[in-house]
């Protein structure tokens, strides 16, 4: 069958089972859009900015577990997409981004809307391709999806020149299989390593499971829960891992790291055996490496061999799909051989009784923590919550206990402000029957505001919870603690009237200024099943995120709200910022 | 410690920049890098000399293996291997120094590949250490131009 390159591309995407593409047209992709226009099985979501397209595809992928797809034009279309691609890369999200490129004869001539897309994205994709020939499109698309979704997932860019989309060629259908001699993501779990790990686990008197984003992305929630229940071990989860193990289970110690719970961090510090599951010892988790887990033997389970020993030396590494490794551990582990850890639990419960998540309410102001607790109550803990980046992100992670994976969608690794709103749109398209809340702040929301327009056009009703404190709160907090309260450029003067703004985009706007109005407003908002509601909540502008490990400190040196004066950080700590 | 890392990679546009980009993005150091096609035209062989402790070299190898275009990575320094580098050096000569220089070239098994009225173009091949020594043996003020290929190498046993 003779087809042009654009038609081949669309047929390939169809054959991959793609249902939604987030994109924005332009000169270099006009042929692709022409072919997409007559395709009835793929819905195209016309965003208002290419960064929004990639974040939406990302939110879609995180919610559904499928590969997200975005389509952008050459030049500025691609450069606008880069932040989104880097966000997905850092959090290992499966995604294929197709970008247009100028015609191949003019590549390198500084043509209109030309950038070196492959060069610009090289360090923030799992792989990328430049396709200059229609004959290569089908195989490249097959490779792109294969690479993006297997092994440690990540974004793959396909840059296609305009002439390749126009040229007609014989198309023999989408390849069924693909083989690449240089990429073999299937890994057999090494039984020897399982044995070594079990030998450590059996001797552990103070064990802890430390689980990360790999447990969510690797669909290992069930196995993780079984292992945790079988062993009776305490478990702590990273920001990216929340929900893989139910937060309301009594074995869950909550999040660890910079703004984790006291019990999580103290247990990590004192532990003699850490079972690391799909986590990568990020600096927000470890704090000062010299003080990190001084007594523990560390077992590290990961699909990516390069994460082993990258930051922290480990005693046993087990390479493989997290789910496969956990299954192997569950099968090989004789729980009768485990040490009695009653005294360890007693110690942990003592730390728990410190109640590190307690916060002081104040008459006349709404505390941001109260907002998240009310959101949890109103949605019965069943919503998908996306967030932007900053204080509100931490409060959402701390005060909304996630019991299921793929319900908490945030930019953990790159920390991309502007992620939350388009991600919520993608999440809603992936799971249309579920309530989706976007927890954001007055700073973050203004980075991707324009997507309110897309959300009206494509009918993706979400509830925007704007923690409005007038500040770039996390910046303000650090300035208060570490820069002697010199609040350099962290105050947002001249905020828009968010209620009118939402209304002008065709949505509902509600402002909440008193705590008494908070819950009724949320209830009212979530009743509006078919509408996007922007709930602008004026919260305490001086509130800080606690508990906190100041940069440069160890896990056992946490600061607790209202109990500790924040000491200024030392020089090595400032370097860690 | 100095390591020689041999990388077999797909002979495709952009593969070289993926490797070079990896080194700069992750702050690994490169002393030299050579690349050319092999007997299999779809494969290139890249030889990288880098300096780092064991942890860094381990990371370099793992990060290289992670690149989709990379088929195989071997730390040659971990096995018995042969390394060679080629030097081209242009120097001033005059009747007073010529005899000395001829002797040095002999001693290092070098070759004079071009002669002009007052210059020599010399070729020396061997381990980098030997090339350094040869250069050190010359009068620095007489060296006009130096071009080195960087190290290439193979391991000695049959299966690399």
């Amino acid at each position: 069958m003779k087809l042009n390159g654009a038609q081949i591309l669309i047929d390939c995407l169809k054959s991959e089972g793609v249902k939604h593409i987030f994109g924005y047209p332009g000169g270099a992709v006009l042929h692709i859009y022409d072919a997409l226009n007559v395709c009835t099985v793929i819905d195209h979501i016309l965003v208002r900015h290419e960064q929004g397209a990639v974040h939406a595809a990302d939110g879609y992928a995180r919610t559904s577990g499928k590969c997200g797809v975005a389509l952008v034009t050459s030049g500025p279309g691609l450069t606008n997409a880069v932040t989104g691609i880097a966000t997905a890369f850092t959090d290992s999200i499966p995604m294929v981004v197709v970008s247009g490129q100028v015609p191949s004869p003019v590549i390198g001539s500084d043509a209109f809307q030309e950038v070196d897309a492959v060069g610009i994205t090289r360090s923030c994709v799992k792989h990328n391709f430049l396709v200059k020939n229609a004959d290569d499109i089908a195989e490249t698309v097959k490779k792109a999806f294969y690479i993006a979704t297997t092994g440690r997932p990540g974004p793959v860019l396909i840059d296609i020149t305009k002439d390749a989309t126009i040229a007609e060629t014989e198309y023999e259908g989408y390849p069924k299989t693909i083989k690449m001699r240089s990429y073999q993501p299937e890994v057999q779990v090494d039984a020897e390593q399982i044995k070594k790990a079990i030998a450590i686990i059996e001797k552990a008197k103070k064990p802890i499971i430390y689980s990360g984003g790999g447990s969510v992305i690797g669909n290992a929630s069930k196995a993780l829960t079984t292992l945790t229940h079988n062993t009776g071990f305490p478990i702590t989860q990273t920001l990216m891992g929340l929900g893989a193990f139910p937060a309301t289970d009594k074995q869950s110690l909550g999040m660890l790291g910079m703004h984790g719970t006291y019990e999580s961090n103290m247990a990590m510090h004192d532990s003699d055996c850490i079972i690391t599951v799909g986590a990568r010892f990020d600096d927000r988790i470890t704090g000062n490496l010299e003080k990190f887990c001084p007594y523990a033997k560390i077992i590290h389970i990961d699909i990516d061999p390069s994460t082993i020993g990258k930051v922290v030396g480990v005693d046993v590494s087990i390479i493989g799909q997290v789910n496969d490794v956990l299954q192997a551990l569950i099968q090989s582990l004789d729980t009768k051989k485990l040490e009695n850890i009653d005294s360890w639990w007693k110690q942990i419960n003592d730390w728990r009784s410190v109640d590190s998540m307690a916060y002081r309410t104040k008459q006349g102001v709404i505390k941001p923590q109260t907002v998240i607790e009310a959101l949890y109550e109103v949605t019965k803990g069943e919503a998908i919550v996306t967030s932007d980046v900053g204080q509100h992100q931490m409060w959402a992670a701390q005060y909304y206990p996630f019991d299921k994976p793929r319900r908490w969608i945030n930019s953990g690794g790159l920390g991309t402000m502007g992620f939350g709103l388009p991600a919520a749109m993608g999440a809603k398209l992936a799971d249309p029957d579920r309530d989706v809340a976007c927890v954001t702040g007055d700073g973050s929301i203004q980075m991707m505001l324009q997507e309110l327009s897309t959300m009206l056009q494509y009918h993706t009703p979400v509830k925007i919870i704007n923690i409005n404190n007038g500040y770039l709160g996390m910046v303000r907090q650090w300035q208060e603690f570490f820069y002697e309260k010199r609040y350099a450029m962290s105050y947002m003067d001249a905020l828009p009237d968010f209620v009118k703004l939402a209304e002008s985009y065709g949505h509902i706007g509600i402002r909440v200024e008193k705590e008494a109005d908070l819950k009724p407003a949320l209830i009212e908002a979530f009743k509006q099943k078919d509408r996007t509601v922007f709930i602008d909540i004026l919260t305490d502008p001086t509130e800080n995120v606690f508990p906190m490990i100041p940069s440069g400190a160890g896990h056992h040196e946490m600061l607790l709200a209202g109990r500790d004066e924040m000491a200024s950080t030392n020089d090595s700590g400032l370097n860690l910022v | 410690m100095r390591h020689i890392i041999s990388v077999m990679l797909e002979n495709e546009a952009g593969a070289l920049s993926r490797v070079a980009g990896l080194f700069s993005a992750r702050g690994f150091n490169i002393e030299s890098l050579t690349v050319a096609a092999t007997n299999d035209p779809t494969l290139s062989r890249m030889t990288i000399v880098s300096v780092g402790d064991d942890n860094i070299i381990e990371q370099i190898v793992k990060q290289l293996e992670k690149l989709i275009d990379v088929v195989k990575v071997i730390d040659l320094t971990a096995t018995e291997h042969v390394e060679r580098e080629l030097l081209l050096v242009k120097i001033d000569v005059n009747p007073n120094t010529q005899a000395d220089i001829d002797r040095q070239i002999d001693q290092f098994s070098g070759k004079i590949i071009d002669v002009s009225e007052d210059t020599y173009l010399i070729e020396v091949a061997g381990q980098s250490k030997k090339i350094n020594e040869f250069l050190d043996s010359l009068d620095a003020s007489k060296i006009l131009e130096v071009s080195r290929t960087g190290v290439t190498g193979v391991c000695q046993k049959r299966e690399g």
Side-chain angles (χ1 to χ4, degrees):
Chain A
M1 184 175 28
K2 258 205 161 12
L3 294 178
N4 70 29
Q7 291 164 327
I8 293 172
L9 171 69
I10 299 305
D11 187 77
C12 292
L13 296 175
K14 236 163 65 180
S15 306
E16 268 299 334
V18 174
K19 295 278 184 291
H20 294 93
I21 295 179
F22 302 86
Y24 204 102
V29 287
L30 282 176
H31 256 70
I32 298 175
Y33 271 87
D34 205 36
L36 185 57
N37 200 34
V38 293
C39 173
T40 50
V41 294
I42 302 177
D43 287 332
H44 179 270
I45 315 300
L46 173 65
V47 295
R48 301 302 186 255
H49 186 290
E50 288 88 348
Q51 187 185 336
V54 183
H55 288 330
D58 186 329
Y60 183 89
R62 291 183 203 231
T63 306
S64 65
K66 293 182 199 149
C67 189
V69 181
L71 171 59
V72 299
T73 194
S74 65
L78 182 276
T79 54
N80 278 346
V82 168
T83 301
I85 296 171
T87 303
F89 180 66
T90 320
D91 289 343
S92 307
I93 304 304
M95 181 186 292
V96 170
V97 178
V98 178
S99 58
Q101 182 54 279
V102 299
S104 51
V106 300
I107 283 185
S109 70
D110 302 322
F112 177 64
Q113 294 196 325
E114 179 187 359
V115 295
D116 172 14
V118 164
I120 283 176
T121 57
R122 189 177 300 120
S123 60
C124 63
V125 291
K126 185 170 173 188
H127 196 58
N128 56 21
F129 298 93
L130 170 62
V131 182
K132 295 199 256 186
N133 193 325
D135 291 325
D136 298 335
I137 289 175
E139 195 186 309
T140 306
V141 174
K142 184 76 189 175
K143 279 185 185 169
F145 276 88
Y146 176 55
I147 294 168
T149 55
T150 52
R152 180 178 179 173
V156 176
L157 176 85
I158 312 174
D159 195 37
I160 309 183
T161 61
K162 185 161 186 182
D163 52 326
T165 67
I166 297 170
E168 286 200 350
T169 185
E170 200 57 43
Y171 175 59
E172 287 160 6
Y174 191 57
K176 291 203 166 48
T177 55
I178 196 85
K179 259 188 119 166
M180 296 174 71
R181 63 178 166 186
S182 61
Y183 178 67
Q184 275 117 20
E186 291 81 23
V187 190
Q188 286 293 323
V189 178
D190 185 342
E192 274 307 303
Q193 296 302 95
I194 295 283
K195 260 191 220 160
K196 284 186 199 163
I198 285 178
I200 293 177
I201 293 169
E202 282 175 352
K203 286 201 194 75
K205 293 193 171 67
K206 298 176 176 183
I208 185 166
I209 298 170
Y210 147 47
S211 167
S215 297
V216 176
I217 294 160
N219 297 317
S221 175
K222 223 173 133 195
L224 178 70
T225 306
T226 305
L227 180 74
T228 310
H229 284 159
N230 286 2
T231 55
F233 289 175
I235 178 170
T236 180
Q237 301 182 89
T238 70
L239 181 68
M240 290 306 298
L242 298 179
F245 183 84
T248 54
D249 188 292
K250 61 182 190 314
Q251 280 173 256
S252 167
L253 308 190
M255 189 165 74
L256 78 160
M258 185 175 275
H259 294 298
T261 62
Y262 184 67
E263 53 269 33
S264 283
N265 288 331
M266 289 303 288
M268 284 292 284
H269 182 266
D270 279 16
S271 171
D272 63 358
C273 165
I274 295 172
I275 306 173
T276 310
V277 186
R280 60 184 175 92
F281 300 93
D282 177 85
D283 57 77
R284 261 36 185 178
I285 293 299
T286 60
N288 187 336
L289 281 171
E290 282 164 23
K291 299 176 182 175
F292 180 72
C293 300
Y295 315 112
K297 292 235 188 275
I298 298 178
I299 298 161
H300 192 176
I301 301 167
D302 208 290
I303 183 66
D304 178 0
S306 75
T307 62
I308 309 293
K310 185 176 71 177
V311 180
V312 169
V314 300
D315 297 276
V316 177
S317 63
I318 314 174
I319 304 296
Q321 288 290 344
V322 167
N323 197 42
D324 295 346
V325 177
L326 290 175
Q327 297 289 1
L329 275 179
I330 291 164
Q331 272 166 25
S332 310
L333 193 69
D334 180 358
T335 51
K336 288 194 287 293
K337 289 188 183 160
L338 296 178
E339 293 281 334
N340 182 310
I341 57 165
D342 289 351
S343 60
W344 178 228
W345 270 113
K346 191 181 165 300
Q347 170 69 72
I348 288 170
N349 287 329
D350 282 350
W351 288 324
R352 261 183 178 160
S353 66
V354 167
D355 193 10
S356 61
M357 287 296 154
Y359 62 94
R360 278 195 208 136
T361 53
K362 204 157 64 182
Q363 197 64 38
V365 284
I366 305 176
K367 287 284 176 179
Q369 298 93 327
T370 313
V371 176
I372 306 298
E373 286 173 338
L375 175 67
Y376 179 75
E377 215 183 305
V378 170
T379 58
K380 301 183 177 63
E382 287 292 325
I384 292 169
V385 179
T386 75
S387 93
D388 269 305
V389 170
Q391 286 184 315
H392 66 267
Q393 177 188 24
M394 292 300 115
W395 287 317
Q398 290 174 326
Y399 293 93
Y400 196 110
F402 292 94
D403 279 345
K404 298 211 172 81
R406 301 191 182 280
R407 296 279 176 83
W408 165 237
I409 313 288
N410 83 128
S411 167
L414 197 68
T416 308
M417 290 172 73
F419 174 80
L421 190 65
M425 175 167 68
K428 188 68 187 176
L429 283 162
D431 195 351
D433 297 331
R434 188 167 297 283
D435 283 331
V436 177
C438 167
V439 175
T440 184
D442 46 291
S444 283
I445 190 66
Q446 294 190 81
M447 284 211 182
M448 278 283 123
L449 248 186
Q450 75 288 342
E451 298 310 324
L452 284 172
S453 172
T454 315
M455 292 164 77
L456 185 71
Q457 183 169 349
Y458 295 94
H459 193 67
T460 56
V462 310
K463 309 298 175 256
I464 299 155
I465 315 294
N466 191 34
I467 307 285
N468 185 344
N469 56 14
Y471 276 100
L472 301 176
M474 194 58 100
V475 173
R476 191 205 56 73
Q477 175 169 343
W478 282 61
Q479 289 170 335
E480 177 185 335
F481 293 164
F482 310 129
Y483 293 84
E484 296 167 331
K485 303 191 179 180
R486 294 186 299 275
Y487 298 123
M489 292 33 124
S490 53
Y491 178 61
M492 279 248 171
D493 207 353
L495 285 176
D497 179 334
F498 286 111
V499 171
K500 281 189 191 153
L501 186 92
E503 285 168 358
S504 82
Y505 274 109
H507 304 304
I508 298 170
I510 305 174
R511 175 170 296 117
V512 178
E513 295 175 7
K514 289 197 292 273
E515 196 179 325
D517 299 335
L518 175 64
K519 215 182 289 168
L522 289 174
I523 291 168
E524 176 55 30
F526 279 94
K527 262 192 207 151
Q528 304 283 340
K529 290 281 172 208
D530 297 333
R531 299 290 300 276
T532 288
V533 185
F534 193 117
I535 310 131
D536 183 32
I537 306 163
L538 304 188
T539 61
D540 183 354
T542 62
E543 186 63 330
N544 291 320
V545 179
F546 278 112
M548 178 170 187
I549 303 176
S551 277
H555 275 166
H556 58 306
E557 298 168 323
M558 288 206 91
L559 300 168
L560 302 175
R563 278 167 264 191
D564 290 300
E565 278 298 309
M566 181 58 73
S568 32
T569 190
N570 56 26
D571 287 347
S572 68
L574 275 177
N575 283 331
L576 287 171
V577 175
Chain B
M1 204 187 126
R2 175 176 178 269
H3 284 251
I4 305 170
I5 298 162
S6 184
V7 186
M8 304 296 280
L9 70 167
E10 300 285 353
N11 187 4
E12 277 174 12
L16 168 64
S17 52
R18 284 183 212 283
V19 174
L22 169 72
F23 274 73
S24 62
R26 294 200 179 261
F28 301 142
N29 108 9
I30 300 184
E31 285 212 337
S32 75
L33 185 157
T34 69
V35 61
T38 62
N39 55 326
D40 176 349
T42 65
L43 272 185
S44 298
R45 182 177 200 122
M46 188 182 281
T47 312
I48 300 163
V49 177
S50 185
V51 175
D53 62 28
D54 289 354
N55 283 339
I56 290 173
I57 300 297
E58 185 187 328
Q59 263 300 303
I60 289 176
V61 170
K62 284 175 171 175
Q63 293 293 347
L64 284 169
E65 282 171 339
K66 213 163 117 176
L67 292 176
I68 305 291
D69 284 337
V70 168
V71 179
K72 194 173 178 184
V73 183
I74 312 157
D75 181 0
L76 287 181
T77 5
T79 72
E80 283 192 46
H81 66 282
V82 175
E83 61 159 295
R84 287 291 179 271
E85 188 178 358
L86 180 72
L87 163 79
L88 295 176
V89 58
K90 203 189 293 168
I91 57 169
D92 263 332
V93 280
N94 59 51
N96 294 333
T97 58
Q98 194 180 343
D100 262 0
I101 289 171
D102 285 349
R103 204 171 35 249
Q104 276 157 352
I105 293 169
D106 237 24
Q107 198 188 329
F108 285 89
S109 314
K111 265 196 259 173
I112 301 164
I113 50 178
D114 192 50
V115 179
S116 78
E117 203 176 313
D118 55 357
T119 63
Y120 269 2
L121 183 55
I122 306 161
E123 168 194 298
V124 179
Q127 293 192 9
S128 305
K129 195 167 154 258
K130 172 177 157 187
I131 288 174
N132 292 341
E133 284 167 6
F134 176 68
L135 285 171
D136 288 345
S137 77
L138 300 172
D139 178 351
S141 67
K142 302 289 183 222
I143 297 177
L144 300 172
E145 216 175 323
V146 170
S147 178
R148 299 172 70 155
T149 59
V151 171
T152 188
V154 285
C155 65
Q156 281 168 249
K157 58 180 195 268
R158 192 181 171 92
E159 300 295 324

